[in-house]
């Protein structure tokens, strides 16, 4: 059954820009549409439609990397119109298609760094929202990591024109971390796969003071066998605290890993369980 689903996945990848109704794919698999949908999702971790969308996006990004214009790549990937491509793929790219084609060049990211009770905090934001929140021990190192993350973007230290909203967002995050204030509902500009974003969205439902095991998280998003992939998705999160991956633990209750250090993970959990 796994081999059959892999063959259908290869068929979808080869025809990612075409219209592929569920009935057509089920016929390719020699199964009923309902049975095929359930089996494909169980084996691949995503629905046939989601898989096709991911393959179409990968094709579109590949065309851009090879130097095609946005218009040419749009039609080559089967999107039909530039308005449709902007609607469909901006979330997967994390930036507009034209900015992605230029390696992020032209994308302006404003950032600021300040000291907090658990170390230096860097927050960076595009016009769409917060794209990076990092904790560390060295301000200069945090800024260097920002440059590594967005090597061709225009990185602008928070100045007078942009300072007020970014400072207010950092104040709100600091109050949440240190004083137990509610998690600020800031706009986010996330970049990740469909699976990663599904993990991150589930984490947003885990309330302060509560924790979830990686296994429970995998079951919660409908992929009980994807425990390792869930852990990887938590590690890929670039937005500390606002996406609360610190609330994910191992099945035995131990901390597991944390991108910004286990000491910080322990402090964040302790503060939340005490109510700040």
């Amino acid at each position: 059954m796994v081999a059959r689903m892999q063959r259908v996945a290869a068929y979808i990848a080869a025809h990612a820009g075409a219209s592929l109704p569920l009935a057509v794919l089920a016929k390719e698999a020699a199964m009923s549409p309902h049975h095929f949908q359930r089996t494909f999702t169980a084996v691949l971790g995503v629905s046939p439609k989601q898989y096709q969308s991911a393959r179409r996006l990968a094709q579109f990004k590949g065309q851009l990397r090879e130097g095609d214009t946005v218009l040419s790549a749009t039609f080559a990937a089967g999107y039909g119109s530039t308005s449709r491509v902007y609607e469909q793929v901006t979330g997967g790219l994390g930036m507009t298609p034209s900015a992605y084609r230029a390696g992020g060049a032209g994308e302006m990211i404003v950032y600021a760094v300040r000291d907090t009770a658990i170390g230096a905090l860097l927050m960076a934001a595009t016009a769409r929202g917060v794209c990076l929140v990092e904790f560390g021990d060295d301000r200069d190192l945090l800024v260097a990591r920002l440059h590594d993350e967005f090597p061709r973007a225009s990185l602008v230290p928070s100045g007078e024109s942009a300072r007020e909203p970014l400072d207010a967002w950092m104040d709100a995050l600091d109050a949440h971390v240190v004083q137990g204030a509610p998690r600020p509902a800031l706009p986010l500009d996330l970049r990740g796969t469909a699976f990663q974003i599904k993990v991150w969205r589930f984490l947003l439902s885990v309330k302060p003071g509560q924790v979830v095991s990686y296994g429970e998280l995998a079951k919660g998003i409908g992929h009980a066998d994807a425990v390792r992939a869930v852990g990887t998705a938590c590690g890929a999160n670039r937005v500390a605290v606002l996406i609360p991956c610190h609330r994910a633990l191992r099945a035995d209750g131990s901390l597991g890993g944390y991108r910004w250090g286990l000491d910080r993970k322990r402090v964040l959990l302790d503060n939340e369980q005490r109510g700040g």
Side-chain angles (χ1 to χ4, degrees):
M1 191 63 71
V2 172
R4 192 191 307 188
M5 293 303 100
Q6 289 174 338
R7 285 196 298 272
V8 177
Y11 176 85
I12 293 173
H15 302 83
S19 174
L20 296 176
L22 184 61
V24 170
L25 297 176
K27 184 177 180 181
E28 186 73 21
M31 300 167 68
S32 72
H34 179 69
H35 188 202
F36 165 70
Q37 173 96 353
R38 291 184 60 187
T39 305
F40 187 96
T41 302
V43 172
L44 275 295
V46 292
S47 70
K49 183 177 181 179
Q50 289 170 328
Y51 185 80
Q52 182 184 4
S53 295
R55 297 310 305 163
R56 180 178 289 177
L57 176 59
Q59 179 182 340
F60 177 76
K61 292 164 73 174
Q63 295 291 124
L64 294 179
R65 283 195 298 268
E66 290 172 9
D68 281 13
T69 65
V70 172
L71 184 61
S72 175
T74 294
F75 288 101
Y79 282 110
S81 70
T82 52
S83 62
R84 181 165 176 79
V85 75
Y86 273 78
E87 291 171 1
Q88 295 294 317
V89 308
T90 298
L93 291 172
M95 55 183 69
T96 63
S98 57
Y100 184 87
R101 179 176 181 269
E107 184 82 354
M108 188 177 80
I109 298 175
V110 178
Y111 71 92
V113 187
R114 68 165 57 176
D115 293 322
T116 74
I118 57 174
L121 166 68
L122 180 144
M123 181 181 287
T126 67
R128 290 175 294 281
V130 177
C131 61
L132 192 75
V133 176
E134 292 260 27
F135 286 103
D137 299 319
D138 186 299
R139 286 179 169 228
D140 291 338
L141 183 57
L142 286 177
V143 174
R145 282 160 59 178
L146 173 65
H147 281 268
D148 289 341
E149 194 71 38
F150 302 99
R152 301 195 64 193
S154 176
L155 302 176
V156 182
S158 178
E160 292 304 320
S161 61
R163 184 173 181 176
E164 186 175 345
L166 199 60
D167 275 359
W169 291 354
M170 295 181 83
D171 284 341
L173 180 58
D174 195 17
H176 170 65
V177 169
V178 178
Q179 302 168 26
R183 186 186 70 86
L186 306 183
L188 300 177
D189 183 4
L190 302 177
R191 292 190 293 169
T193 65
F195 182 86
Q196 288 171 338
I197 290 174
K198 187 181 291 188
V199 171
W200 300 339
R201 283 177 176 166
F202 188 90
L203 283 167
L204 288 171
S205 72
V206 181
K207 297 179 180 180
Q210 297 181 352
V211 294
V212 61
S213 72
Y214 295 114
E216 290 168 338
L217 181 48
K219 290 178 183 177
I221 63 169
H223 301 296
D225 296 332
V227 177
R228 181 172 294 181
V230 161
T232 301
C234 289
N237 172 33
R238 300 177 183 87
V239 182
V241 183
L242 296 179
I243 300 296
C245 57
H246 60 279
R247 296 175 190 156
L249 307 179
R250 289 177 176 165
D252 62 3
S254 59
L255 292 179
Y258 192 55
R259 183 183 180 117
W260 297 282
L262 292 184
D263 287 343
R264 288 192 179 91
K265 185 172 186 176
R266 187 176 293 108
V267 169
L268 289 170
L269 290 172
D270 287 348
N271 284 352
E272 289 183 350
Q273 288 167 1
R274 289 197 308 265

